[in-house]
Amino acid sequence: NARIQVEHPVTEAVTGLDLVRLQLLVAAGEPLPEAAARAGLRGHAVEARLYAEDPRRGFLPQAGTLHRFRVAEAPGVRVDAGVADGSVVGVHYDPLLAKVVAHAPSRAEAAGLLAAALAGARLHGVATNRDLLVGVLRHPGFLAGETDTGFLERHPPAELAWHPTPEAERVHAAVAALAAQAARRAAATVQPTIPSGWRNNPSQLQRVDYRGDGGALAVGYRFGRAGALESLEVDGEPLPGARLWGAHPADPATWLVDLEVAGVRRRFEVHLVGDLHFVDGPLGHAELRELPRFPEPDAGAAAARTQGSLASPLPGIVRRVAAAAGDRVDAGALLVVVEAMKLEHRIGAPRAGRVRELLVAEGQEVEAGTPVAVLEETEDG
């Protein structure tokens, strides 16, 4: 079999041979070098395929812009990536982002090295399987070699994947708010040296609301007249012993926040992309969307108009519209087919009813969450 497998870097790591180079030499009529004929094995290697897919939603492929893609190469870690900062993951190709390989004297060391490399990666803008990979690599069953095709059936991805603790979510939200505050003060053109939210007389806290994987988080903070952080709370509860040691730019879009909470001082990196705030640090990572302080007045009306709407589970192209407005359909009836990454995803009626409106047409590109149809219940159910 002359095919070069996706996992060829594992063989290359333990043998020291460049298999692609050797294959090209043979194709050019050259003989295999002596080193290939007497190749030996050295240590252990483990490879992970880093994909733009969401294990929490049945491994649906994801598309969008990778605002940041950085997996640090360290001694023993190899990264073969097909993307970089700003790359767009489209709907027409396989969503493989990179192969990350770790090589070490023992299998356990290689697994630990790979898990650390993935956990510390900066992956901003597209959902990936990173947290599931880290969970697998650190699982006792995997480390004991108890792996087979039923591993994810015995250990469901929702339970296996890494999750931030509630306390980590609170700290991440606070860090995001402090980074955004520092960025706004740095960009201020009027009185930039005045502390954020400064008042001649003490006033209420500055407030910002976020939405993350765990739901909504409300952050409140206040800086004193001298510019020091005086108060910091999340969802109305103070973070104990909060002390801001500093917030400084690492680049125009990234801020380093040095925050102490409950006697523990940590340094976080916050990448700001519009209303998206990506936080990385010792407590893991988070993607938080800053909610508008003053929502659009017609937001509620828009939600009401699409009540009962069915959404595309992933970005893709509408290949088939199988119903029309006014049709009565049974539960499970096919309404729309969306194609992405060479797979077709069928969107069916969750219950019996009448199709009130079709919101897409065949050939149209849609994003994840785009409403495709509106279904209303009928009097006879």
Side-chain angles (χ1 to χ4, degrees):
N1 184 354
R3 176 186 176 189
I4 284 289
Q5 298 289 342
V6 174
E7 296 79 15
H8 72 85
V10 170
T11 302
E12 296 182 349
V14 296
T15 62
L17 299 173
D18 186 334
L19 298 185
V20 177
R21 176 177 177 273
L22 294 178
Q23 192 175 52
L24 291 173
L25 288 175
V26 170
E30 298 290 333
L32 279 174
E34 184 180 349
R38 51 181 178 80
L41 303 181
R42 177 179 58 85
H44 293 254
V46 182
E47 175 183 317
R49 296 195 198 184
L50 187 59
Y51 266 82
E53 63 183 13
D54 192 346
R56 299 169 301 178
R57 301 173 59 209
F59 294 92
L60 283 176
Q62 303 293 297
T65 301
L66 272 169
H67 302 296
R68 181 156 294 170
F69 181 87
R70 297 177 187 174
V71 183
E73 293 196 40
V77 176
R78 168 177 167 177
V79 181
D80 291 357
V83 295
D85 288 5
S87 292
V88 175
V89 181
V91 300
H92 302 290
Y93 303 101
D94 186 280
L96 176 64
L97 302 178
K99 300 174 293 182
V100 186
V101 187
H103 178 243
S106 70
R107 182 173 180 273
E109 289 178 90
L113 187 61
L114 181 56
L118 292 170
R122 306 300 191 246
L123 309 174
H124 301 166
V126 175
T128 73
N129 63 340
R130 179 256 298 271
D131 292 339
L132 176 60
L133 295 173
V134 173
V136 170
L137 289 164
R138 291 175 173 170
H139 193 274
F142 176 84
L143 295 175
E146 300 168 0
T147 51
D148 52 43
T149 56
F151 186 83
L152 292 182
E153 295 179 3
R154 297 193 302 273
H155 309 288
E159 300 174 8
L160 193 60
W162 172 88
H163 297 284
T165 65
E167 186 58 29
E169 291 179 335
R170 286 164 45 83
V171 173
H172 284 155
V175 167
L178 294 173
Q181 178 272 336
R184 285 193 294 269
R185 294 316 303 159
T189 57
V190 177
Q191 301 286 7
T193 59
I194 292 179
S196 178
W198 185 89
R199 298 292 186 274
N200 194 38
N201 296 310
S203 184
Q204 70 273 14
L205 302 181
Q206 296 286 99
R207 299 195 179 278
V208 59
D209 295 324
Y210 290 102
R211 181 165 297 281
D213 285 342
L217 293 159
V219 180
Y221 60 87
R222 179 169 56 225
F223 287 85
R225 299 177 70 88
L229 182 67
E230 288 187 342
S231 181
L232 181 62
E233 66 177 37
V234 179
D235 290 338
E237 294 189 11
L239 291 182
R243 180 178 181 182
L244 179 61
W245 289 87
H248 308 286
D251 60 53
T254 308
W255 286 77
L256 303 178
V257 178
D258 191 345
L259 180 67
E260 180 179 329
V261 175
V264 180
R265 183 176 173 181
R266 303 181 180 93
R267 197 181 197 196
F268 300 86
E269 184 179 295
V270 184
H271 181 205
L272 305 175
V273 183
D275 59 359
L276 288 175
H277 299 175
F278 301 95
V279 183
D280 295 280
L283 298 177
H285 57 89
E287 177 181 332
L288 299 165
R289 182 178 295 276
E290 183 177 350
L291 303 180
R293 182 176 298 182
F294 304 107
E296 293 294 332
D298 63 346
R305 286 196 302 271
T306 56
Q307 185 175 8
S309 65
L310 305 176
S312 175
L314 76 171
I317 299 174
V318 176
R319 289 304 184 196
R320 182 183 175 195
V321 177
D327 286 356
R328 292 173 58 88
V329 295
D330 296 326
L334 178 65
L335 301 178
V336 175
V337 176
V338 177
E339 178 185 316
M341 282 84 170
K342 301 176 289 186
L343 297 175
E344 289 189 345
H345 299 267
R346 299 164 64 89
I347 302 174
R351 60 186 182 281
R354 178 180 286 108
V355 179
R356 189 172 78 196
E357 188 177 4
L358 267 303
L359 304 174
V360 295
E362 292 182 359
Q364 177 180 339
E365 289 193 17
V366 295
E367 299 296 327
T370 300
V372 297
V374 180
L375 188 68
E376 61 183 3
E377 294 185 11
T378 56
E379 293 183 0
D380 56 359

